[in-house]
Amino acid sequence: MRTPHRATSGGRITSAGKTGRAGKALLSGVLAICLAGAMAVPTLPAEAAKPKPPVIPSKAAVERAKQAAASKASQVAAIERQLAAAGARLEQLGVQSGIADEAYNGAVYRLQQAKAEAAAAAARAAEAQKTLTAQRQQIGRFAAASYQGGGDVAKIAPLFTAEGPQQLLDSAGAVHSVSAAMQGSYLRFTATQVMTNLFKVQADQAVVKVKKAADEAAKAKKAAEDAEAAQSAAVTAIGVQRKQSIAQLATLQNISVRVAAQRQQGLEELARQRAAAIAAKKAAELKRRIAAREAAERRAEAAERAREAAEKAREEREEREQNNGKKNPPKRHKPSTPSRHNHDNGNGNHSSRKGASAAIEFAMRQLGDMYLWGATGPSRWDCSGLTQGAWEQAGVQLPHYSVAQYEQIQHIDEDELRPGDLIFWSLDPNDPGTIHHVAMYLGNGRMIHAPRTGKPVQIDSVYYWEPPDFFGRP
């Protein structure tokens, strides 16, 4: 059977139409893939970018940078030196202020002495004048009696009487006695007159000395006031300078002011710690030397007690031998000697050590009280005022002047120090007349003192500052 042409033709037409649509779809997919690939691959520039040339400073620029760094380091070092010098300056001003304060105490002390001497000289002159007046009156009475007795005429009148010669001899003896008495009285009057004039001269000189001492005290007071004012002004000025210097350090070192201040405080604290370590080492050595001396003293005392015991045993043995066989032998009485148990290691009696405890207790109660030059309490002290007040509690009267305190107490060596003893600093370690600071020893290398203006009564190492020069025991 033949296939109709239309049908066959139509079938071919249908097949051809499907194939055309499929080809178009395939072409669209290929184009899409190509487009996606083209988007995925970066577009290459026509010419690659050239790298920037490195910055190479010139030799001159490098040299300038080095100089700038060196200059900055030099400025930093200079500012650090300024800060250190400012601290040292404050310490120096504090020392100078303390010296001026104690010099004022010395001037006042000498003024008091001059006034006491002037009063004593005036009293001696007045007493001598009183004696001179009495002797003058006595001579006057002798002269009046001689005149009333007739003088030379009275002496020859007995020649004209019956008993003339004998009476003349008797009266001559009496006249001789009166004359001798008058002569002795006149000699005493002359001597008293010389002494009276001398005492008057001394009294006048004492008045001049008082005037001079008063002038010196006024000058010393002015010097102390100036030193205190200078120290106070320096504290303020150096405080401002310190803040400015720390700010400059922060800028130069590219750090904050707070960090710069912390660094400076840390450096200063490190310096204090190093100084404290050195002081502690010296204090430990002092403690060792004191302990060694005390041990030697105890050994010497033990040897002395042993010797005394042996001597006593020998005497008792000799006494028994001498009285062997005798009934009720007479007892030999030895003079009593002070008991050694009342002494404290040979360094003063028990009462003085008890007094030292009272002095220390008083001084410790003043911890935190602020320094004030010329002050003797009750809540402000200078160095000698504190030691004076402390030992007054123990019944020991000390002057308000460190030089005079040293002059009036027992002088000891450094390794003889015991709690309560006094420690002194001077400008010249060979001249106690230059002493300007005093403290009280507490033991274990420590002391309590009123240091200087701006600081309270405090406990320090004996060697926190300069080594002390003199030592004494009230």
Side-chain angles (χ1 to χ4, degrees):
M1 181 174 179
R2 291 172 63 181
T3 302
H5 176 72
R6 187 174 180 83
T8 303
S9 177
R12 284 197 296 268
I13 293 170
T14 304
S15 176
K18 290 182 178 179
T19 301
R21 288 193 295 272
K24 291 179 179 179
L26 177 60
L27 180 59
S28 299
V30 172
L31 290 172
I33 291 172
C34 291
L35 181 60
M39 294 177 65
V41 178
T43 304
L44 295 175
E47 187 178 353
K50 294 181 179 179
K52 293 181 179 180
V55 178
I56 302 176
S58 65
K59 290 184 178 180
V62 171
E63 187 62 29
R64 285 194 300 271
K66 287 182 178 179
Q67 290 177 357
S71 176
K72 182 182 291 187
S74 176
Q75 291 178 54
V76 168
I79 292 174
E80 289 178 343
R81 286 194 299 271
Q82 288 175 4
L83 287 168
R89 175 62 176 160
L90 281 179
E91 185 65 25
Q92 181 185 15
L93 285 171
V95 172
Q96 291 175 352
S97 176
I99 293 173
D101 296 346
E102 202 59 14
Y104 169 72
N105 289 338
V108 171
Y109 174 74
R110 289 186 290 273
L111 175 59
Q112 292 170 344
Q113 286 185 317
K115 287 181 176 179
E117 291 173 4
R124 289 194 300 268
E127 185 64 25
Q129 183 62 48
K130 183 179 178 181
T131 302
L132 184 67
T133 301
Q135 290 177 349
R136 183 183 289 111
Q137 292 173 349
Q138 184 179 24
I139 291 175
R141 286 194 295 271
F142 273 126
S146 175
Y147 177 77
Q148 292 172 358
D152 294 336
V153 175
K155 295 177 184 178
I156 63 174
L159 292 174
F160 303 98
T161 63
E163 298 88 10
Q166 184 61 42
Q167 187 177 357
L168 180 61
L169 290 174
D170 293 341
S171 63
V175 169
H176 177 74
S177 298
V178 172
S179 177
M182 286 185 65
Q183 185 176 9
S185 180
Y186 180 75
L187 290 175
R188 287 191 298 273
F189 172 80
T190 302
T192 301
Q193 191 172 36
V194 171
M195 292 304 298
T196 300
N197 292 335
L198 175 61
F199 289 153
K200 285 181 178 179
V201 170
Q202 290 178 346
D204 292 340
Q205 291 174 341
V207 171
V208 173
K209 190 175 180 180
V210 168
K211 178 63 170 60
K212 182 179 178 182
D215 292 342
E216 290 177 352
K219 290 179 181 178
K221 182 179 181 180
K222 180 65 167 56
E225 290 173 342
D226 291 346
E228 293 288 330
Q231 184 189 11
S232 178
V235 168
T236 302
I238 290 176
V240 173
Q241 177 189 352
R242 179 185 174 85
K243 290 181 180 179
Q244 293 173 346
S245 298
I246 289 175
Q248 290 175 351
L249 275 177
T251 301
L252 290 168
Q253 296 175 333
N254 294 322
I255 58 177
S256 70
V257 174
R258 180 178 60 84
V259 174
Q262 288 177 345
R263 170 178 167 76
Q264 183 61 30
Q265 291 171 359
L267 291 174
E268 292 173 357
E269 178 60 28
L270 181 61
R272 281 192 291 268
Q273 290 176 1
R274 288 172 178 168
I278 294 173
K281 185 176 181 180
K282 291 182 179 179
E285 174 60 21
L286 173 62
K287 184 178 178 181
R288 185 195 65 76
R289 288 191 286 114
I290 290 175
R293 182 153 189 156
E294 289 179 333
E297 290 172 351
R298 287 193 294 270
R299 288 193 297 270
E301 286 190 347
E304 177 65 16
R305 287 194 295 269
R307 188 194 65 77
E308 291 177 352
E311 179 68 17
K312 182 178 180 181
R314 183 186 64 79
E315 291 178 353
E316 290 177 348
R317 184 173 62 255
E318 290 178 353
E319 186 175 357
R320 285 195 301 270
E321 291 173 354
Q322 291 175 0
N323 295 286
N324 187 23
K326 296 182 180 180
K327 296 182 179 180
N328 299 325
K331 295 183 179 181
R332 297 169 61 184
H333 296 282
K334 293 178 64 179
S336 60
T337 57
S339 175
R340 294 187 64 85
H341 76 271
N342 288 329
H343 290 71
D344 181 26
N345 295 333
N347 292 304
N349 57 37
H350 179 70
S351 61
S352 69
R353 292 297 88 199
K354 185 176 180 181
S357 298
I360 291 172
E361 289 175 4
F362 178 87
M364 293 293 286
R365 289 198 299 270
Q366 316 314 314
L367 280 172
D369 288 353
M370 293 303 295
Y371 180 98
L372 177 64
W373 67 280
T376 57
S379 59
R380 304 288 294 274
W381 309 88
D382 64 8
C383 66
S384 56
L386 178 64
T387 51
Q388 178 194 43
W391 271 101
E392 187 176 5
Q393 301 301 307
V396 178
Q397 301 298 321
L398 295 176
H400 182 204
Y401 179 35
S402 55
V403 173
Q405 287 184 2
Y406 181 72
E407 290 174 347
Q408 296 185 16
I409 62 177
Q410 176 189 354
H411 300 170
I412 60 175
D413 293 330
E414 187 175 16
D415 57 1
E416 292 182 275
L417 280 172
R418 303 293 181 269
D421 291 342
L422 301 184
I423 307 171
F424 301 87
W425 285 259
S426 66
L427 298 176
D428 182 351
N430 297 314
D431 182 7
T434 63
I435 287 174
H436 59 82
H437 188 61
V438 59
M440 179 181 290
Y441 186 65
L442 296 177
N444 296 321
R446 300 179 308 147
M447 65 181 184
I448 184 170
H449 65 146
R452 59 176 173 82
T453 297
K455 292 197 173 185
V457 174
Q458 60 190 37
I459 295 174
D460 281 312
S461 166
V462 171
Y463 303 99
Y464 90 106
W465 181 33
E466 299 173 351
D469 301 306
F470 301 98
F471 312 89
R473 177 168 301 147

